[in-house]
Amino acid sequence: MTVGCFVGFVVDIDKAALAFLSLSVAMFFLIAIKNFKFSTKTKVGLIYGHLILLFFPFVLFTTDFACGAMCMSCQNNTIALVSYSLPTALVLGTIAGFAVIPAFYTFSSRRHTRNKEIMAFVRKYSSLLNIRMPKIYIVDKAKPIAFSFKSFRSAIFVSVGMLDILSKKEIQAVLLHELTHIKQKSSVLKFSSFLMNVLSPLSLLARFHHDTSREENDADEFAIRVQRTSKYVNSAKRKISKVQG
Amino acid sequence: MVKVDCIRFNEKSVAVLSPLENDVLRILWKKDSGMRVRDIYQILKKKRKVALTSVAVILDRLHEKKIVVRKIEFGLGGEHYIYCSSCSKSDFEHTVVEKTVNRLIDKFGPVAVTYFNERFSKRGKK
């Protein structure tokens, strides 16, 4: 039955053309991200556009199948079919990226830092960078890790292992680094690129790989500028790489 | 249950832990209330050349082996781990001997049992 439906879907010129157009534009978005320099916002927009357009033919097919199974008129009406499919594809593409994963991390490490010095430091430099003060979460891990999310509410996650081995100035260097990432919205871009690499077979075809080294350098440079020395950034990096092996 | 995966037999000694693991554990056995990574490092660096990061790695490894337990505490400098040994020195040694003997019996069966019988009866006569 499914095979019959698929054949019927492909033979219908309107639906097949829509699916082909959708995949072509998805491929065009991917090539544009790879070859042109865009702002982070535009890049993220193009990535989600790519994912939505990639999901669209599959959602179109399943909606067509459901319309047929329920003897609804939408099976023969392409405009109705698109109006049902597009929102579903849109929801699938965006919810996964912006809501689920950051919410999962926030929920799994519910411990906020009680360190007033760290909070005051982050508050001071958040206002300097003109960003809303992120929440600071403590992750129960001995491996030294720190990362940040820019979602509905931005957050910085620091492991206990990191606080154990770094000095006060080195921790401040890490926090400045993460604050810059929040300012750059690089977590959204990083995560979106990862999502695309995982979900989109076209990204493999185009050998898409998002280079994060520029953002990392910018984040380091901000920390060095504030601390007026590269000593703490370098020693923090050295310690982290030593523990991570 | 403490995980003891590897027992090394040298000419002079029997080692279950690496030298650094051994030193860290000796320090923890002396203190019941638990210690921070930095406290252990401060004691250890007087005896041998060691980095703070190495002590942190060793403690995490001992935690994975369930030889030490840890909890997050808030103190000077923010949140940090407090490490305690999960068992006393004699309990740890008991576990090592128990596991070693059990493995020998599992592997060699009657041969190992006969050997232990002979060995204990010789000891009894002495």
Side-chain angles (χ1 to χ4, degrees), chain A residues 140-210:
Chain A
D140 186 2
K141 284 233 180 296
K143 297 260 181 308
I145 46 168
F147 56 96
S148 53
F149 266 130
K150 173 86 181 78
S151 185
F152 300 110
R153 174 84 195 256
S154 45
I156 296 177
F157 298 80
V158 184
S159 70
V160 184
M162 177 85 95
L163 300 174
D164 267 344
I165 62 163
L166 298 190
S167 68
K168 186 178 145 188
K169 286 280 181 188
E170 288 164 345
I171 292 166
Q172 287 178 351
V174 171
L175 293 170
L176 288 168
H177 179 104
E178 293 308 324
L179 281 172
T180 321
H181 279 318
I182 291 174
K183 174 78 177 171
Q184 294 169 329
K185 301 183 182 77
S186 46
S187 67
V188 184
L189 183 61
K190 236 187 241 179
F191 177 69
S192 306
S193 309
F194 165 75
L195 205 69
M196 187 162 74
N197 282 331
V198 170
L199 297 177
S200 169
L202 295 181
S203 70
L204 286 175
L205 217 69
R207 290 183 183 170
F208 177 83
H209 174 70
H210 173 61

Side-chain angles (χ1 to χ4, degrees), chain A residues 113-115 140-141 164 166, chain B residues 38 51 70 78-81:
Chain A
T113 184
R114 284 158 60 198
N115 190 329
D140 186 2
K141 284 233 180 296
D164 267 344
L166 298 190
Chain B
R38 279 175 194 280
R70 71 182 176 210
E79 285 80 2
H80 53 256
Y81 281 128

Side-chain angles (χ1 to χ4, degrees), chain A residues 111-116 138-143 160-161 163-167 239 242-243, chain B residues 36-38 51-54 56-57 60 64 70 72-75 77-81 83:
Chain A
R111 188 189 291 268
H112 291 263
T113 184
R114 284 158 60 198
N115 190 329
K116 284 180 182 154
I138 300 297
V139 183
D140 186 2
K141 284 233 180 296
K143 297 260 181 308
V160 184
L163 300 174
D164 267 344
I165 62 163
L166 298 190
S167 68
K239 282 183 183 175
K242 205 174 169 190
V243 174
Chain B
R36 291 179 63 165
V37 179
R38 279 175 194 280
L52 175 67
T53 48
S54 308
V57 170
D60 191 35
E64 276 171 19
R70 71 182 176 210
I72 302 172
E73 266 193 15
F74 180 78
E79 285 80 2
H80 53 256
Y81 281 128
Y83 286 94

Side-chain angles (χ1 to χ4, degrees), chain B residues 101-122:
Chain B
V101 171
N102 285 346
R103 276 192 200 171
L104 285 171
I105 293 171
D106 289 345
K107 176 86 179 163
F108 301 107
V111 179
V113 176
T114 313
Y115 173 77
F116 286 129
N117 271 336
E118 283 171 9
R119 181 72 195 255
F120 292 131
S121 56
K122 270 182 198 170

